[in-house]
Amino acid sequence: MKVLHLISGGEKGGSRKHVITLLEQFSSEEVTLAVFQEGQLSQEARESGIRTECFRQSSRYDLSVLNKLASFIQKEGFDVLHTHGPRANLFGIYLKKKTGIRWVTTVHSDPSLDFVKSGLKGKIFTTLSMYAVKQMDGYFAVSERFKQNLIKLGINGEKIQTVYNGIQFTNEKATPLPRSEWGLTDQDFVMAMVARLHPIKGHTIVFDAMTAFAEEERPHLLLVGDGPIEEELMNEVKRRQLDRHVHFLGFRSDVDHIYAASDLALLASFSESFPLALLEAANQHVPIITTDVGGVGELIHHGQTGWIVPTKDAKAYEEALREAMNRGDQLKEMGDQLYDFASARFSLEQLAEAHRSVYVKLTDI
C-alpha cells in the first residue's frame, strides 16, 4: 500500500502538525508527502524522515503541476491520494479523473468558511471547494460532530470515518519559559492562545472579555501565531487599550514551553474540527476555556478540566475567565485531570491505526 499526501505546503498551524505527526507513524515506503511550496511544513517533514516532494507552482493558479502530479502518481504506483486543504482538494478532482486513484481527505476546517473576508474571489473559491469536498471516496472526520456536519453537506455517512486527532503525550512537562521574557511575574495570571491570526479564530471575543476587567485585575494574554489579520488585531488591541496585557509572540516552535508557563489555555474559534492546540495544552497539564466547536466536548469536561462556552459570546467568555481566575488554586489539579483523560484517549497509535484501516479498505474495493 502506497499513499500520497497532498497539501499546499504553506501551513503553519494545526494542519501542519497533524500531517507531520500522522505521516511519522508510517514507513517511508508507505507514505510520501507532496507540497506546492517549500516552507516550515516541508522542512519539518524532511527532518522527521518523511519523503517529501515539491511540485512548485509559479502562483497558486499555476495548473501546470497537475500533469506532473498525475505522472508521478502513475510512475510511483500510489494506491491512495490523501488531500489536505482547499487547494489540494480542488486538484484532487483532476488527479482522480486522470489516474483513477482512490481519493480521501481530512477536512481540517469548515469548507464554507475557508475564504471568509475574501470578497467575490472568496465566494467563487468557496463554491469550488464545496464541490470538491463532495467528490471523494472517503473522509476522515476528527470529531463526531464534524462527521455530522459532513453528512449535512450530503455526504454518505458510510464514507466517513471519525478519527480523533492525536499527539505524542510526554511523561514530563516542558520547562516553562521565564515569564520575564514578556515582562511578567509569577504573580500575574497568564493565558496562552495558540491560533492563526485569522477571523475564524475569534481573537476579538477574548479581547472583549478582557476589557470587562479593571486594569489592575486584568489577566495577560500570550498570542501565539501569525496570519492575515495581524495588523487588524494589533489595532483592535490599541483601540481597547489592552496594549499592556496582550502580547503578540508570532509563530513559535516552542509552544509546549509557552503553555507550561501559562495558567490557562484559550480557544475562541467560531468553527473547528478538533484543535491540536488543545491537546498540546492538555499535555502540559493546563486547563482550557474553549468555545463549543467541533469535538471539544469530547475532550473537556465542563467545570472539571476546563470550560466550554457558546461561540461569539464575549459575556460568557468573561464569566468563564472570572471563574477560572477565582479557582486559581484548583487549576493545577484540573490540568492534571485533563492530562490523564487526554493521554489515555487521544494517542498517536489510535490515529495511525484508524487511517491504516481506511486505506486498506479502499484499496481492497
Side-chain angles (χ1 to χ4, degrees):
M1 178 190 65
K2 294 182 65 175
V3 182
L4 178 65
H5 285 255
L6 183 63
I7 191 170
S8 73
E11 292 77 10
K12 296 181 179 179
S15 57
R16 170 194 60 83
K17 187 98 174 181
H18 172 88
V19 169
I20 291 174
T21 54
L22 171 61
L23 268 61
E24 284 177 332
Q25 309 311 305
F26 292 82
S27 71
S28 57
E29 289 76 27
E30 292 177 302
V31 297
T32 298
L33 176 65
V35 298
F36 302 120
Q37 66 186 84
E38 298 287 3
Q40 186 76 23
L41 172 59
S42 58
Q43 178 184 337
E44 290 186 15
R46 291 192 182 100
E47 290 173 353
S48 298
I50 299 166
R51 180 190 177 191
T52 305
E53 303 289 341
C54 182
F55 294 83
R56 193 181 301 276
Q57 292 179 284
S58 57
S59 75
R60 66 178 56 216
Y61 308 110
D62 176 13
L63 302 181
S64 65
V65 298
L66 288 176
N67 283 329
K68 296 176 184 176
L69 272 166
S71 296
F72 181 67
I73 288 171
Q74 293 170 325
K75 178 182 177 182
E76 295 279 339
F78 287 104
D79 303 296
V80 177
L81 172 67
H82 189 151
T83 55
H84 304 262
R87 195 190 322 180
N89 288 344
L90 286 174
F91 288 1
I93 299 172
Y94 175 85
L95 295 173
K96 179 174 174 59
K97 289 181 178 179
K98 183 75 172 178
T99 68
I101 193 170
R102 307 299 292 178
W103 179 21
V104 299
T105 189
T106 300
V107 184
H108 294 276
S109 57
D110 185 338
S112 68
L113 299 174
D114 281 335
F115 301 100
V116 294
K117 289 193 174 183
S118 297
L120 178 60
K121 185 185 295 184
K123 292 180 180 179
I124 294 172
F125 281 127
T126 296
T127 300
L128 292 172
S129 181
M130 295 294 285
Y131 171 77
V133 165
K134 297 179 181 180
Q135 308 306 309
M136 287 85 167
D137 298 303
Y139 304 81
F140 292 105
V142 294
S143 72
E144 189 59 32
R145 175 185 287 185
F146 212 69
K147 177 178 180 177
Q148 296 306 314
N149 289 345
L150 292 173
I151 291 173
K152 289 177 182 177
L153 292 177
I155 294 169
N156 185 345
E158 294 181 357
K159 293 184 176 182
I160 307 169
Q161 172 71 46
T162 301
V163 180
Y164 297 109
N165 270 332
I167 65 170
Q168 185 64 59
F169 285 90
T170 57
N171 294 326
E172 301 293 334
K173 291 192 287 186
T175 303
L177 286 176
R179 290 184 170 189
S180 57
E181 182 174 321
W182 311 296
L184 306 178
T185 69
D186 290 341
Q187 283 68 50
D188 291 309
F189 192 90
V190 178
M191 312 176 297
M193 183 174 180
V194 179
R196 283 183 304 132
L197 305 186
H198 185 280
I200 203 68
K201 297 300 183 179
H203 293 85
T204 55
I205 297 299
V206 178
F207 298 166
D208 286 340
M210 291 177 66
T211 58
F213 288 78
E215 184 165 355
E216 63 272 12
E217 64 172 353
R218 185 173 293 147
H220 286 265
L221 175 62
L222 307 178
L223 287 184
V224 181
D226 55 16
I229 63 168
E230 180 173 2
E231 184 176 354
E232 178 182 329
L233 291 177
M234 287 182 172
N235 289 336
E236 288 295 327
V237 166
K238 292 179 181 177
R239 185 176 70 81
R240 292 171 168 81
Q241 298 182 331
L242 295 173
D243 309 60
R244 290 186 57 251
H245 293 84
V246 178
H247 311 266
F248 288 84
L249 308 190
F251 174 78
R252 301 284 291 248
S253 58
D254 55 351
V255 169
D256 52 345
H257 299 276
I258 294 172
Y259 273 136
S262 305
D263 299 297
L264 198 64
L266 305 185
L267 184 86
S269 298
F270 304 153
S271 175
E272 289 280 359
S273 47
F274 192 96
L276 280 173
L278 298 192
L279 292 182
E280 292 173 333
N283 189 37
Q284 298 306 319
H285 302 239
V286 181
I288 298 163
I289 297 178
T290 176
T291 43
D292 189 9
V293 291
V296 299
E298 295 160 54
L299 171 66
I300 304 299
H301 293 168
H302 183 77
Q304 298 180 36
T305 58
W307 293 264
I308 301 175
V309 301
T311 58
K312 303 181 181 181
D313 191 336
K315 182 61 178 176
Y317 217 100
E318 174 209 335
E319 291 172 354
L321 181 51
R322 288 190 184 278
E323 182 177 344
M325 295 177 70
N326 289 335
R327 293 174 62 180
D329 58 341
Q330 301 173 30
L331 293 182
K332 182 182 182 303
E333 181 181 350
M334 294 175 69
D336 290 342
Q337 290 181 26
L338 177 59
Y339 170 84
D340 290 342
F341 177 79
S343 60
R345 188 172 184 185
F346 301 100
S347 68
L348 289 179
E349 288 76 17
Q350 63 81 24
L351 178 70
E353 182 53 37
H355 279 79
R356 188 182 298 278
S357 66
V358 171
Y359 295 153
V360 170
K361 181 179 177 181
L362 283 174
T363 54
D364 285 345
I365 293 176

